[in-house]
Amino acid sequence: MRRERSNKLFERAQKFIPGGVNSPVRAFKAVGGNPIFVSRGEGAFIHDADGNRYIDFVGSWGPLILGHAPAVVLSAIARAAQEGTSFGWATAREVELAERVTQALPSVERVRFVNSGTEATMSALRVARGFTGRDRVLKFSGCYHGHADAFLAEAGSGVATLGIPGCAGVPQGAAQDTLTAPYNDLQAVEDLLKAQGDKVAAIIVEPVACNMGLVLPAPGFLAGLRALCDRFGALLIFDEVITGFRLGLSGAQGFYQIRPDLSTFGKIIGGGLPVGAYGGRADIMEKIAPLGPVYQAGTLSGNPLAMAAGIATLEALSRKGFYADLDSLAGRLEQGLRALLTKHGNPARVDRVQSIFYLWFKKDADHSPKDYTEIKAADAALFGRFFNALLNHGVAIAPSAFEVGFVSAGHTQTHIDATLTAVDHALAEVMER
Ligand SMILES: *Cc1c(COP(=O)(O)O)cnc(C)c1O
């Protein structure tokens, strides 16, 4: 495959942008080679600067559940843009999206829109601290909650991919207030809370961990966190930036029937535009200015184009059978992958929940990974070769052994079957070496 234009762009980019990328996950550092530069997307596909076309399972890292450039979202954005791109005054679209979100998620009695998932988690933690009068937060190893100081300890996503041990530039004071426990380990959480529960404002968790590969909550884990929060007076924050509107309209909290105190959203809620949101119990959310003493603001928050994209997306997701259709399409991919992995000597294991899937490159793995320590045993070198072989066969997955893939409504059975053929070729190439 010719990549001359991407390579040229990368050369230019590196002169002016650190590492040539505006988010480290876009770099190919962990898999070898240069990043591709994408020029456009449509449905299941992305096209790069050299005119190569790939079936895409990155989906902008989660937002594009309808696929690339869906007509309903594009026309909603175009209509909104005609009326002006930003006002900094209150608008009707903010109210409409807020109504849709609170209707879909009973635990979200009040919601604030921000511009990214990072802003959402950062603000949720601030209001949890303001409400409880406590400073500490408990997170889980391998979970990613954006790049605010409080959440970078043992973080997933790019931090895991690049193996960054502890983020430089995070003040000791901030790091000290963050406690970490292994995912799925209720005993570790209870021990931490017994020792310092009176200082813990919140437990924040990805209800399905999607930033260290895919780790599903063990039966009872989320309910156990709910009970421990109640016992020690801490708030339970579900970071649903990926799972929100992905596992269903009511997110992971609906899927697993657990009611968190606060939730954070991003990705799908903005339909491909920069949106985040945090919300939850009215008594907590009403501590936020102008009602209360917790300050949080944003010049572009609730931006009309972004709200329009979010509304159009949520409307499309409300179609009866949307999630069932996506689930069965993703199931076809899962089954196909499982058969191919068996055929090629079990170099990896496939796991899936709804439209989120993950290939864990752990040879002969006989169980799903349960935490970050297990996941890290993945053969990242073999994954890197597989990634590049697959890309050359026209299928794009995330350039990291620790990232999930997303099936979207832009995919059809034909795309899934073409993907499986490409995976068959790619596995044959990397396994014979
Ligand atoms: C992506 C992500 C974030 C951060 O969102 P950004 O929009 O990238 O700032 C936070 N939490 C989770 C679970 C995420 O997957």
Side-chain angles (χ1 to χ4, degrees), residues 61 115-119 121 144-147 206 211 239-242 264 266-267 275:
W61 301 83
N115 305 292
S116 68
T118 293
E119 262 189 86
T121 54
Y144 181 68
H145 305 295
H147 64 88
E206 287 182 69
N211 280 289
D239 182 353
E240 298 232 37
V241 170
I242 284 186
T264 57
K267 301 190 172 125
V275 183

mmCIF file of all heavy atoms in Angstrom, residues 61 115-119 121 144-147 206 211 239-242 264 266-267 275, ligand 1:
data_model
loop_
_atom_site.group_PDB
_atom_site.id
_atom_site.type_symbol
_atom_site.label_atom_id
_atom_site.label_comp_id
_atom_site.label_asym_id
_atom_site.label_seq_id
_atom_site.Cartn_x
_atom_site.Cartn_y
_atom_site.Cartn_z
ATOM 1 N N TRP A 61 -12.577 6.428 18.066
ATOM 2 C CA TRP A 61 -12.353 5.965 19.446
ATOM 3 C C TRP A 61 -13.643 5.906 20.248
ATOM 4 O O TRP A 61 -13.640 6.049 21.473
ATOM 5 C CB TRP A 61 -11.283 6.815 20.160
ATOM 6 C CG TRP A 61 -9.978 6.776 19.426
ATOM 7 C CD1 TRP A 61 -9.621 7.547 18.351
ATOM 8 C CD2 TRP A 61 -8.863 5.890 19.658
ATOM 9 N NE1 TRP A 61 -8.372 7.199 17.904
ATOM 10 C CE2 TRP A 61 -7.884 6.190 18.692
ATOM 11 C CE3 TRP A 61 -8.615 4.877 20.592
ATOM 12 C CZ2 TRP A 61 -6.665 5.513 18.624
ATOM 13 C CZ3 TRP A 61 -7.395 4.221 20.525
ATOM 14 C CH2 TRP A 61 -6.432 4.538 19.554
ATOM 15 N N ASN A 115 -17.155 20.055 27.130
ATOM 16 C CA ASN A 115 -16.627 19.886 25.773
ATOM 17 C C ASN A 115 -15.844 18.596 25.527
ATOM 18 O O ASN A 115 -15.424 18.336 24.403
ATOM 19 C CB ASN A 115 -15.745 21.084 25.407
ATOM 20 C CG ASN A 115 -16.501 22.380 25.569
ATOM 21 O OD1 ASN A 115 -17.431 22.666 24.834
ATOM 22 N ND2 ASN A 115 -16.134 23.147 26.578
ATOM 23 N N SER A 116 -15.598 17.824 26.572
ATOM 24 C CA SER A 116 -14.851 16.573 26.409
ATOM 25 C C SER A 116 -15.117 15.664 27.594
ATOM 26 O O SER A 116 -15.629 16.111 28.634
ATOM 27 C CB SER A 116 -13.346 16.854 26.316
ATOM 28 O OG SER A 116 -12.870 17.321 27.565
ATOM 29 N N GLY A 117 -14.753 14.404 27.426
ATOM 30 C CA GLY A 117 -14.867 13.453 28.525
ATOM 31 C C GLY A 117 -13.977 13.851 29.688
ATOM 32 O O GLY A 117 -14.351 13.688 30.856
ATOM 33 N N THR A 118 -12.811 14.380 29.372
ATOM 34 C CA THR A 118 -11.884 14.824 30.416
ATOM 35 C C THR A 118 -12.533 15.884 31.301
ATOM 36 O O THR A 118 -12.469 15.815 32.532
ATOM 37 C CB THR A 118 -10.597 15.399 29.773
ATOM 38 O OG1 THR A 118 -9.903 14.337 29.123
ATOM 39 C CG2 THR A 118 -9.699 16.051 30.800
ATOM 40 N N GLU A 119 -13.167 16.850 30.665
ATOM 41 C CA GLU A 119 -13.842 17.897 31.432
ATOM 42 C C GLU A 119 -14.975 17.315 32.274
ATOM 43 O O GLU A 119 -15.238 17.777 33.387
ATOM 44 C CB GLU A 119 -14.458 18.924 30.474
ATOM 45 C CG GLU A 119 -13.644 20.155 30.251
ATOM 46 C CD GLU A 119 -14.449 21.169 29.463
ATOM 47 O OE1 GLU A 119 -15.204 21.932 30.067
ATOM 48 O OE2 GLU A 119 -14.331 21.161 28.219
ATOM 49 N N THR A 121 -15.265 14.212 33.640
ATOM 50 C CA THR A 121 -14.807 13.484 34.836
ATOM 51 C C THR A 121 -14.192 14.431 35.853
ATOM 52 O O THR A 121 -14.408 14.302 37.051
ATOM 53 C CB THR A 121 -13.778 12.402 34.460
ATOM 54 O OG1 THR A 121 -12.721 13.006 33.713
ATOM 55 C CG2 THR A 121 -14.413 11.300 33.634
ATOM 56 N N TYR A 144 -9.251 4.454 32.405
ATOM 57 C CA TYR A 144 -8.882 5.783 31.939
ATOM 58 C C TYR A 144 -10.068 6.718 32.132
ATOM 59 O O TYR A 144 -11.189 6.376 31.770
ATOM 60 C CB TYR A 144 -8.501 5.731 30.453
ATOM 61 C CG TYR A 144 -8.086 7.067 29.878
ATOM 62 C CD1 TYR A 144 -6.898 7.680 30.275
ATOM 63 C CD2 TYR A 144 -8.879 7.721 28.941
ATOM 64 C CE1 TYR A 144 -6.509 8.909 29.742
ATOM 65 C CE2 TYR A 144 -8.493 8.950 28.409
ATOM 66 C CZ TYR A 144 -7.313 9.537 28.813
ATOM 67 O OH TYR A 144 -6.937 10.746 28.279
ATOM 68 N N HIS A 145 -9.790 7.866 32.738
ATOM 69 C CA HIS A 145 -10.868 8.840 32.961
ATOM 70 C C HIS A 145 -10.493 10.214 32.417
ATOM 71 O O HIS A 145 -10.830 11.236 33.009
ATOM 72 C CB HIS A 145 -11.192 8.921 34.454
ATOM 73 C CG HIS A 145 -11.540 7.599 35.077
ATOM 74 N ND1 HIS A 145 -12.664 6.886 34.726
ATOM 75 C CD2 HIS A 145 -10.881 6.836 35.984
ATOM 76 C CE1 HIS A 145 -12.704 5.754 35.414
ATOM 77 N NE2 HIS A 145 -11.638 5.695 36.182
ATOM 78 N N GLY A 146 -9.774 10.230 31.293
ATOM 79 C CA GLY A 146 -9.320 11.508 30.765
ATOM 80 C C GLY A 146 -7.997 11.886 31.393
ATOM 81 O O GLY A 146 -7.441 11.133 32.198
ATOM 82 N N HIS A 147 -7.499 13.087 31.046
ATOM 83 C CA HIS A 147 -6.124 13.402 31.430
ATOM 84 C C HIS A 147 -5.986 14.434 32.548
ATOM 85 O O HIS A 147 -4.955 15.083 32.685
ATOM 86 C CB HIS A 147 -5.318 13.810 30.190
ATOM 87 C CG HIS A 147 -5.814 15.063 29.531
ATOM 88 N ND1 HIS A 147 -5.367 16.300 29.914
ATOM 89 C CD2 HIS A 147 -6.716 15.265 28.546
ATOM 90 C CE1 HIS A 147 -5.977 17.217 29.175
ATOM 91 N NE2 HIS A 147 -6.813 16.616 28.348
ATOM 92 N N GLU A 206 -14.983 2.721 35.352
ATOM 93 C CA GLU A 206 -15.592 2.405 34.067
ATOM 94 C C GLU A 206 -16.412 1.145 34.323
ATOM 95 O O GLU A 206 -15.842 0.093 34.617
ATOM 96 C CB GLU A 206 -14.528 2.102 33.013
ATOM 97 C CG GLU A 206 -13.741 3.280 32.490
ATOM 98 C CD GLU A 206 -12.746 2.852 31.412
ATOM 99 O OE1 GLU A 206 -13.191 2.464 30.320
ATOM 100 O OE2 GLU A 206 -11.542 2.861 31.667
ATOM 101 N N ASN A 211 -10.540 0.711 28.391
ATOM 102 C CA ASN A 211 -9.311 1.431 28.055
ATOM 103 C C ASN A 211 -8.063 0.644 28.409
ATOM 104 O O ASN A 211 -6.960 1.177 28.368
ATOM 105 C CB ASN A 211 -9.301 2.795 28.743
ATOM 106 C CG ASN A 211 -10.148 3.818 27.997
ATOM 107 O OD1 ASN A 211 -9.772 4.260 26.911
ATOM 108 N ND2 ASN A 211 -11.292 4.183 28.549
ATOM 109 N N ASP A 239 -18.060 6.232 35.073
ATOM 110 C CA ASP A 239 -17.528 6.916 33.904
ATOM 111 C C ASP A 239 -18.033 6.171 32.671
ATOM 112 O O ASP A 239 -17.496 5.142 32.278
ATOM 113 C CB ASP A 239 -16.002 6.955 33.955
ATOM 114 C CG ASP A 239 -15.418 7.704 32.752
ATOM 115 O OD1 ASP A 239 -16.189 8.061 31.839
ATOM 116 O OD2 ASP A 239 -14.202 7.928 32.733
ATOM 117 N N GLU A 240 -19.083 6.712 32.098
ATOM 118 C CA GLU A 240 -19.735 6.079 30.936
ATOM 119 C C GLU A 240 -19.374 6.808 29.631
ATOM 120 O O GLU A 240 -20.177 6.843 28.699
ATOM 121 C CB GLU A 240 -21.261 6.061 31.137
ATOM 122 C CG GLU A 240 -21.705 5.246 32.351
ATOM 123 C CD GLU A 240 -22.771 4.216 31.999
ATOM 124 O OE1 GLU A 240 -22.703 3.631 30.898
ATOM 125 O OE2 GLU A 240 -23.672 4.014 32.839
ATOM 126 N N VAL A 241 -18.190 7.371 29.599
ATOM 127 C CA VAL A 241 -17.790 8.099 28.389
ATOM 128 C C VAL A 241 -17.781 7.151 27.177
ATOM 129 O O VAL A 241 -18.177 7.550 26.079
ATOM 130 C CB VAL A 241 -16.431 8.803 28.586
ATOM 131 C CG1 VAL A 241 -15.900 9.353 27.266
ATOM 132 C CG2 VAL A 241 -16.568 9.961 29.587
ATOM 133 N N ILE A 242 -17.387 5.895 27.393
ATOM 134 C CA ILE A 242 -17.488 4.911 26.296
ATOM 135 C C ILE A 242 -18.809 4.145 26.343
ATOM 136 O O ILE A 242 -19.496 3.995 25.335
ATOM 137 C CB ILE A 242 -16.312 3.909 26.326
ATOM 138 C CG1 ILE A 242 -15.049 4.580 25.780
ATOM 139 C CG2 ILE A 242 -16.636 2.656 25.477
ATOM 140 C CD1 ILE A 242 -13.857 3.682 25.622
ATOM 141 N N THR A 264 -20.603 10.175 34.030
ATOM 142 C CA THR A 264 -19.959 11.052 33.050
ATOM 143 C C THR A 264 -20.124 10.456 31.662
ATOM 144 O O THR A 264 -20.150 9.239 31.491
ATOM 145 C CB THR A 264 -18.464 11.227 33.366
ATOM 146 O OG1 THR A 264 -17.840 9.936 33.406
ATOM 147 C CG2 THR A 264 -18.263 11.926 34.697
ATOM 148 N N GLY A 266 -19.430 11.217 27.181
ATOM 149 C CA GLY A 266 -18.625 11.868 26.151
ATOM 150 C C GLY A 266 -18.848 11.087 24.877
ATOM 151 O O GLY A 266 -19.831 10.365 24.740
ATOM 152 N N LYS A 267 -17.927 11.188 23.933
ATOM 153 C CA LYS A 267 -17.975 10.343 22.740
ATOM 154 C C LYS A 267 -19.363 10.313 22.079
ATOM 155 O O LYS A 267 -19.740 11.309 21.484
ATOM 156 C CB LYS A 267 -17.408 8.966 23.081
ATOM 157 C CG LYS A 267 -15.951 9.134 23.572
ATOM 158 C CD LYS A 267 -15.114 7.928 23.741
ATOM 159 C CE LYS A 267 -13.670 8.362 24.036
ATOM 160 N NZ LYS A 267 -13.061 7.847 25.210
ATOM 161 N N VAL A 275 -18.210 16.960 22.717
ATOM 162 C CA VAL A 275 -19.165 17.110 23.813
ATOM 163 C C VAL A 275 -18.824 16.135 24.937
ATOM 164 O O VAL A 275 -18.447 14.999 24.685
ATOM 165 C CB VAL A 275 -20.622 16.807 23.375
ATOM 166 C CG1 VAL A 275 -21.601 17.060 24.532
ATOM 167 C CG2 VAL A 275 -21.026 17.652 22.181
HETATM 168 C C1 LIG B 1 -12.224 8.770 26.189
HETATM 169 C C2 LIG B 1 -12.490 8.647 27.648
HETATM 170 C C3 LIG B 1 -12.391 9.745 28.518
HETATM 171 C C4 LIG B 1 -11.845 11.069 28.074
HETATM 172 O O1 LIG B 1 -12.635 11.677 27.114
HETATM 173 P P1 LIG B 1 -11.970 12.784 26.156
HETATM 174 O O2 LIG B 1 -13.118 13.307 25.374
HETATM 175 O O3 LIG B 1 -10.940 12.066 25.347
HETATM 176 O O4 LIG B 1 -11.362 13.819 27.036
HETATM 177 C C5 LIG B 1 -12.787 9.577 29.834
HETATM 178 N N1 LIG B 1 -13.247 8.396 30.277
HETATM 179 C C6 LIG B 1 -13.354 7.324 29.479
HETATM 180 C C7 LIG B 1 -13.917 6.048 30.022
HETATM 181 C C8 LIG B 1 -12.956 7.403 28.154
HETATM 182 O O5 LIG B 1 -13.011 6.310 27.368
#
